Amino acid sequence: MAHTSTAANTAANTVEFGPATGLSCRECGALYELGPIFACTECFGPLEVAYDFGEVRREDIESGPANIWRYRSLLPVPAGVAAKPNLQPGWTKLVKADRLAAELGLRSLHVKDDSGNPTHSFKDRVVAIALEAARTFGFHTLSCSSTGNLAGAVGAAAARAGLDSCVFIPADLEPAKITMAAVYGGRLVALEGTYDEVNRFCSELIGDELGEKWGFVNVNLRPFYAEGSKTLAYEIAEQLGWRLPDQIVIPVASGSQLTKIDKGFRELVKLGLVEDRPYRIFGAQAEGCSPVSQAFKAGQDVVQPVRPDTIAKSLAIGNPADGPYVLDIARRTGGAVEDVNDREVVDAIRLLARTEGVFAETAGGVTVGVLRKLVREGRLDPDAETVVLNTGDGLKTLDAVAEHARPAAVIRPSLDAFRAAFAN
């Protein structure tokens, strides 16, 4: 029998959630009704959305809109979601990266470039799903703890939907991300401390009257929010001609994105939308915040928290909630979790920009850097079809590459001056 959550079950039972049937604990399997809850009361394990999909056909998906709502039959959203005021993220480019492949020694490489989303990061996907849950449960304020990109996505989504927003960030974020988070008119609160400390504060706020009727997208709405990452898996498979890649490199912050991409691939196989074939998943972290990578290399199942120190601030989560699940997936699929230092991150950003014209933020530098490292060390098959993720726009992290991106020369506007500067 499913547990009954006390918060907003009336709304959950009367408003459509598409194919979603409830919430299930990833640890003990306990079942709960759909509601704004995120932890199992039996074992404190994380909850995720459970489904009864029925029949899903490729042609129905392909006839849908060019955004994540083409997959509404696979998500916890109502059938009419596409007509509601939202940012309609998704269906971003899968770039065939032949020049980068040649540089790295790969036969076939694609870059899934999520910088093309409305606020220029993949976070628009997860927030779009959380927004629908917030509407269902009658929340009037959308909130989050954020390393930067999520704050902007929440602010924009709330503004579009006519909700209030209040987002919380570490005070030392990149200036561009702070500006972007503040421009949408909601409240932006900078806290002194790491992301993990900001997240802990938000968990406390949920239980206080100050946070009443607030939907924290990555806390009390997390089971719904996390499902948005599955749309990356769906799009990659569809854009490859309805097949799974042989191997994929995914950035790891909390680890939720990687676990949900794996979930998305497995759902496509179960539904018969793609051929059931092996695939390998590789996680990528920055050396200055690499607790999952360190656990993988040490052969451990427990992820020990760290204090982040890296330029890849969007991945700077020192106590990743889904870390153990990332380890399980990497090992099950024959992949790995690896890390690169800040210098390698910057070099990889420049490499991707120079070869493919894609300007990645530091998280994209991490994935490309790890991809290059895995190829160099012979741990990734150079002949296999490979996908690497870029989850955000480099304009958000300009400081990382500023010293390498200056004019070749400053000259007078004359041909003589140009000849003198570049004669050799």
Side-chain angles (χ1 to χ4, degrees):
M1 179 180 294
H3 295 261
T4 301
S5 66
T6 58
N9 274 327
T10 299
N13 291 331
T14 59
V15 178
E16 183 187 357
F17 272 92
T21 58
L23 301 176
S24 64
C25 176
R26 288 158 77 179
E27 291 296 322
C28 72
L31 300 177
Y32 296 80
E33 293 182 5
L34 293 161
I37 54 174
F38 61 97
C40 176
T41 57
E42 299 292 326
C43 71
F44 304 106
L47 301 181
E48 66 177 358
V49 179
Y51 297 94
D52 181 4
F53 289 122
E55 182 184 10
V56 180
R57 303 184 305 170
R58 288 182 185 177
E59 53 264 40
D60 294 334
I61 292 173
E62 292 170 344
S63 65
N67 53 56
I68 63 171
W69 305 133
R70 69 198 287 115
Y71 307 110
R72 62 188 178 277
S73 59
L74 300 171
L75 298 168
V77 295
V81 63
K84 294 185 178 182
N86 61 74
L87 296 179
Q88 300 183 336
W91 203 243
T92 55
K93 293 180 180 179
L94 185 68
V95 179
K96 195 170 187 301
D98 291 340
R99 296 190 68 232
L100 178 59
E103 187 102 7
L104 298 180
L106 293 170
R107 179 186 61 82
S108 175
L109 176 64
H110 289 83
V111 176
K112 181 58 172 171
D113 184 14
D114 243 25
S115 66
N117 276 309
T119 69
H120 307 287
S121 90
F122 94 95
K123 292 295 187 181
D124 290 320
R125 297 174 181 272
V126 290
V127 171
I129 309 298
L131 171 62
E132 291 309 307
R135 283 171 164 153
T136 296
F137 300 133
F139 293 133
H140 57 64
T141 299
L142 213 58
S143 186
C144 70
S145 53
S146 174
T147 56
N149 285 324
L150 181 57
V154 166
R160 174 73 177 131
L163 299 179
D164 293 332
S165 67
C166 183
V167 299
F168 299 89
I169 60 172
D172 66 347
L173 285 190
E174 299 95 338
K177 289 181 180 176
I178 293 175
T179 300
M180 187 172 189
V183 76
Y184 298 108
R187 282 177 288 174
L188 172 66
V189 181
L191 302 181
E192 297 175 354
T194 66
Y195 168 81
D196 298 285
E197 291 168 322
V198 174
N199 193 49
R200 194 175 309 122
F201 167 80
C202 288
S203 297
E204 294 172 0
L205 186 55
I206 288 175
D208 190 273
E209 62 181 12
L210 288 171
E212 187 177 357
K213 304 297 286 185
W214 286 28
F216 290 80
V217 300
N218 53 345
V219 189
N220 60 347
L221 296 178
R222 187 175 183 82
F224 304 91
Y225 160 93
E227 293 295 284
S229 288
K230 295 192 310 181
T231 61
L232 278 162
Y234 302 153
E235 286 181 22
I236 289 169
E238 184 178 355
Q239 290 169 329
L240 286 174
W242 290 107
R243 68 175 186 272
L244 302 182
D246 296 320
Q247 49 200 13
I248 183 169
V249 183
I250 304 169
V252 174
S254 73
S256 177
Q257 183 186 72
L258 185 148
T259 64
K260 295 308 179 186
I261 288 176
D262 176 62
K263 184 181 181 184
F265 285 162
R266 288 185 287 114
E267 287 175 348
L268 292 177
V269 169
K270 184 177 181 180
L271 289 165
L273 295 171
V274 299
E275 178 188 354
D276 187 1
R277 52 182 293 198
Y279 58 87
R280 302 170 73 197
I281 291 183
F282 296 86
Q285 293 202 293
E287 184 181 281
C289 185
S290 54
V292 187
S293 173
Q294 298 309 314
F296 181 87
K297 293 175 183 178
Q300 298 172 345
D301 296 324
V302 177
V303 177
Q304 298 294 336
V306 302
R307 190 167 186 88
D309 181 18
T310 174
I311 60 171
K313 295 184 183 298
S314 60
L315 302 183
I317 297 181
N319 189 17
D322 280 24
Y325 302 106
V326 170
L327 294 173
D328 290 344
I329 291 167
R331 289 165 179 157
R332 170 172 57 80
T333 64
V337 188
E338 187 52 86
D339 56 81
V340 286
N341 62 39
D342 285 354
R343 178 186 56 76
E344 292 171 306
V345 171
V346 173
D347 288 347
I349 292 172
R350 298 175 66 201
L351 173 63
L352 179 60
R354 174 172 59 79
T355 56
E356 299 298 341
V358 175
F359 184 18
E361 71 163 40
T362 47
V366 170
T367 54
V368 174
V370 165
L371 170 64
R372 178 164 57 179
K373 185 174 184 178
L374 292 169
V375 174
R376 185 174 64 240
E377 295 179 355
R379 298 160 63 195
L380 189 146
D381 184 354
D383 293 321
E385 186 169 56
T386 307
V387 173
V388 62
L389 266 60
N390 172 44
T391 52
D393 196 318
L395 292 174
K396 295 185 176 189
T397 56
L398 289 172
D399 287 353
V401 294
E403 67 176 283
H404 303 285
R406 294 172 177 163
V410 178
I411 63 173
R412 299 187 311 278
S414 72
L415 290 174
D416 287 343
F418 182 75
R419 290 190 185 98
F422 296 100
N424 296 321

